[in-house]
Amino acid sequence: MRAPAFARLASDRSPFRRALADSATVIVAYLPFGLTLGATLASTRLPAGVAWASSPLLFNGAAQLVAVTLLDGGAGAFLVVAATLVATARMLLYSASLAPYAAEWPRRWRWLGAYLLSDPVYALAIGRFGGPGGGGGARERRVYYLTVGATLFVAWQVLTGAGVLLAGVLPQWLPVDLAAALTLLLLLLPMLTGRAAYAAAAAGGAVALAVTALPLGLGLLVGAAAGITAGVAAEAWRRAPRTDPPEGVRDA
């Protein structure tokens, strides 16, 4: 039996075209977050150009919010850098998860891949690499990852720049932290393949939404920690050996 036309089209699509198609979906999902974050950056006392410059320097919405908020409050360089590192600590987990798929890439491409790593890039990459076929060979994985990273990088600069320019038009009540948490949850839904993943997503999402009022954009970090803890606990419970009750108790 022949596969449906759309299935053949998806399977025949090159890694480059597949990456562009996947990235387009993420850009649409990230539209409100990028615009809102750009407007938030423009509302600080920092010059608009300086605030927007955090987009290419960091390429991470939560880290941008932390850095610009602290700079706006007059914090010193050490505190800004330390807080930004805390806000991006989850990238260490992302990197460890992607490392086996990038082990054969030349070093220069791994360095570039590390710079382009962000929440949506990781979500798309691990979803493809962890699926059937592993995303192809080393070259196909590299083309897909770098295309996704470069496309989303450019789109993020445009979205945040548009938010800066439209700061006086967008409603002031838009919750930038809530938009970030909801967008990340939407990206992670296709990756839920077991009870541990569902437990991690449920716990992480609930906590992230509950603590959106935390300062310095730490809601996502706290939610990620809660999700990791719940996932590890669920997986440990699943693998724990089961012992049958004593014979007398079972027959009672």
Side-chain angles (χ1 to χ4, degrees):
M1 184 188 331
R2 297 184 62 187
F6 68 86
R8 294 198 306 273
L9 179 62
S11 62
D12 295 340
R13 187 180 295 171
S14 68
F16 177 77
R17 294 175 60 190
R18 178 65 179 270
L20 291 179
D22 293 346
S23 299
T25 303
V26 172
I27 292 171
V28 172
Y30 255 65
L31 185 62
F33 179 36
L35 291 176
T36 306
L37 180 62
T40 302
L41 298 178
S43 67
T44 65
R45 292 176 296 176
L46 298 176
V50 174
W52 176 83
S54 60
S55 289
L57 289 175
L58 296 173
F59 189 35
N60 185 295
Q64 287 177 250
L65 193 60
V66 168
V68 173
T69 299
L70 288 175
L71 288 173
D72 183 47
F78 177 81
L79 178 59
V80 173
V81 172
T84 303
L85 289 176
V86 171
T88 56
R90 65 189 182 281
M91 298 302 156
L92 294 174
L93 301 177
Y94 293 170
S95 299
S97 177
L98 290 172
Y101 303 106
E104 300 178 20
W105 298 0
R107 179 175 297 180
R108 64 181 182 277
W109 297 122
R110 294 202 302 271
W111 278 102
L112 179 58
Y115 172 70
L116 294 174
L117 183 59
S118 63
D119 293 315
V121 174
Y122 171 76
L124 290 180
I126 199 64
R128 180 164 175 80
F129 299 164
R139 181 183 180 279
E140 287 75 16
R141 290 194 297 269
R142 185 175 76 244
V143 169
Y144 180 86
Y145 181 93
L146 294 180
T147 302
V148 164
T151 303
L152 295 183
F153 177 85
V154 173
W156 186 247
Q157 314 315 311
V158 174
L159 289 178
T160 54
V164 170
L165 295 176
L166 298 173
V169 178
L170 296 175
Q172 296 296 319
W173 51 262
L174 287 176
V176 60
D177 290 336
L178 185 60
L182 290 176
T183 305
L184 181 58
L185 285 178
L186 289 175
L187 290 173
L188 293 177
L189 284 178
M191 300 165 55
L192 304 181
T193 57
R195 292 182 179 179
Y198 280 105
V207 172
L209 293 177
V211 298
T212 51
L214 281 179
L216 306 180
L218 295 178
L220 280 179
L221 182 62
V222 175
I228 292 170
T229 303
V232 170
E235 184 65 15
W237 182 85
R238 186 185 69 84
R239 297 193 177 194
R242 299 291 186 268
T243 57
D244 293 331
E247 200 66 31
V249 175
R250 185 166 47 188
D251 294 339

